[in-house]
Amino acid sequence: MSRIALVTCTPGPDVAEDRDLPGLVRALEEAGAGASAEVWDDGEVDWSGFDLAVIRSTWDYSWRAAEFTAWAERCGTATRLANPADVVRWNTDKRYLADLAGAGVPVVDTRYLAPGDALGLPDGHEYVVKPASGAGARFAARYTPGEHATAVRHLRRLHADGLTAMVQPYVRGIDTAGERALQFFGGRLLHASRKGPVLAPGTPYDRRKVAHPGLTDWTPTPAELAVAERALAAVPGAPELLYARVDLVDGEDGRPRVMELELVEPNLFLWLHPESVPRVVREILTAAGR
């Protein structure tokens, strides 16, 4: 019997509930596996006792990135980790968007401001400031050119915390076409979803946001699928990925661009797509048996 850890984090006021986790543990047990939810930073867990550890909802990692990537390295030496530790390290820092752009993948234009850099901000269009290590729109906000002083205070807070900031144009297509999340499992499309805009004008960066507003089922277009597959093919080292989520928005030209490539702990939204659970279980069992 395969022993599988579904890796999560300690619940708390700043951490969303993983609606998928109990059902996925149950589905794996019904398929004959020994499955349990394990907290990534629980020092009592013996990761070597598992055939596979699947990172699922470690949603506190973004403000503990160095600690989390060190854990992934240790876990990956003790057992098979999905996704692998080198993927985790690359994907926890959103400067990976520059790597994707360098490989010819259409991405949202992004400028990075590390601590000590000049605090240059756009003055001709609306834009977004957020940390390069972040999840769930934490410490992200949307600004107009007239809100320059507020945006500078935001940047200074990120830099004071030792974080690199990202500055992106606000993609107006989100307001009409939303953001599409294409989920892959075992290297093939699993399902897709669409959500509405997360960053409302005037919302302070340190206010908690609804990460997936108005989430609905979505059928990806051929163009969306092609961009998502190009992004996955550009991951350095061509690693074997158990799961992936590619978040897409429409650029000013109406064509899909990568907003984020989620390879660490993407929400799979299985509660919205229960028909996908059997395939997820099969792929996890296959990975555990390798």
Side-chain angles (χ1 to χ4, degrees), residues 232-290:
L232 294 175
V235 177
E240 184 176 349
L241 302 173
L242 178 61
Y243 54 83
R245 194 181 84 205
V246 187
D247 293 341
L248 302 173
V249 294
D250 289 340
E252 291 295 323
D253 58 2
R255 297 176 180 175
R257 293 177 174 267
V258 175
M259 173 71 79
E260 293 190 12
L261 174 59
E262 300 276 4
L263 306 180
V264 180
E265 36 59 88
N267 195 325
L268 298 178
F269 310 128
L270 294 175
W271 58 268
L272 181 64
H273 302 274
E275 73 283 354
S276 294
V277 172
R279 199 180 120 201
V280 169
V281 168
R282 288 196 303 271
E283 296 288 358
I284 290 176
L285 292 177
T286 298
R290 289 177 184 150

Side-chain angles (χ1 to χ4, degrees), residues 33-285:
S36 58
E38 304 290 347
V39 174
W40 71 270
D41 60 350
D42 182 348
E44 299 300 313
V45 177
D46 178 10
W47 300 104
S48 67
F50 295 96
D51 300 295
L52 176 69
V54 183
I55 302 173
R56 286 308 327 120
S57 47
T58 55
W59 293 335
D60 61 350
Y61 91 86
S62 64
W63 56 92
R64 303 168 62 189
E67 184 181 352
F68 180 73
T69 53
W71 164 83
E73 297 284 356
R74 294 194 303 273
C75 184
T77 61
T79 188
R80 180 179 174 84
L81 178 67
N83 284 324
D86 56 345
V87 171
V88 170
R89 186 171 294 280
W90 178 75
N91 197 233
T92 52
D93 188 329
K94 290 186 176 63
R95 281 176 284 197
Y96 66 74
L97 286 171
D99 295 337
L100 297 182
V105 179
V107 303
V108 174
D109 292 338
T110 305
R111 188 157 54 95
Y112 300 93
L113 298 177
D117 288 347
L119 303 183
L121 290 168
D123 59 7
H125 57 79
E126 201 170 10
Y127 56 93
V128 170
V129 174
K130 58 186 178 182
S133 179
R138 183 175 182 268
F139 279 8
R142 170 180 171 182
Y143 298 104
T144 64
E147 296 172 302
H148 179 86
T150 304
V152 167
R153 287 195 294 271
H154 182 179
L155 285 171
R156 287 176 174 158
R157 168 64 189 278
L158 295 179
H159 288 172
D161 288 346
L163 298 172
T164 292
M166 304 168 60
V167 181
Q168 299 174 318
Y170 182 73
V171 181
R172 292 178 295 177
I174 295 175
D175 293 333
T176 52
E179 183 176 334
R180 284 84 71 199
L182 276 62
Q183 310 272 9
F184 292 78
F185 223 91
R188 295 182 295 119
L189 182 70
L190 180 68
H191 55 241
S193 312
R194 178 190 179 276
K195 69 179 182 182
V198 174
L199 300 178
T203 303
Y205 71 89
D206 54 356
R207 181 177 297 172
R208 186 172 178 180
K209 289 88 173 174
V210 177
H212 307 290
L215 196 70
T216 58
D217 189 20
W218 179 258
T219 300
T221 67
E224 290 169 350
L225 188 57
V227 170
E229 290 175 342
R230 286 176 65 185
L232 294 175
V235 177
E240 184 176 349
L241 302 173
L242 178 61
Y243 54 83
R245 194 181 84 205
V246 187
D247 293 341
L248 302 173
V249 294
D250 289 340
E252 291 295 323
D253 58 2
R255 297 176 180 175
R257 293 177 174 267
V258 175
M259 173 71 79
E260 293 190 12
L261 174 59
E262 300 276 4
L263 306 180
V264 180
E265 36 59 88
N267 195 325
L268 298 178
F269 310 128
L270 294 175
W271 58 268
L272 181 64
H273 302 274
E275 73 283 354
S276 294
V277 172
R279 199 180 120 201
V280 169
V281 168
R282 288 196 303 271
E283 296 288 358
I284 290 176
L285 292 177

Side-chain angles (χ1 to χ4, degrees), residues 5-20:
L6 299 180
V7 188
T8 186
C9 63
T10 302
D14 295 324
V15 180
E17 175 191 4
D18 183 355
R19 295 174 62 178
D20 292 342

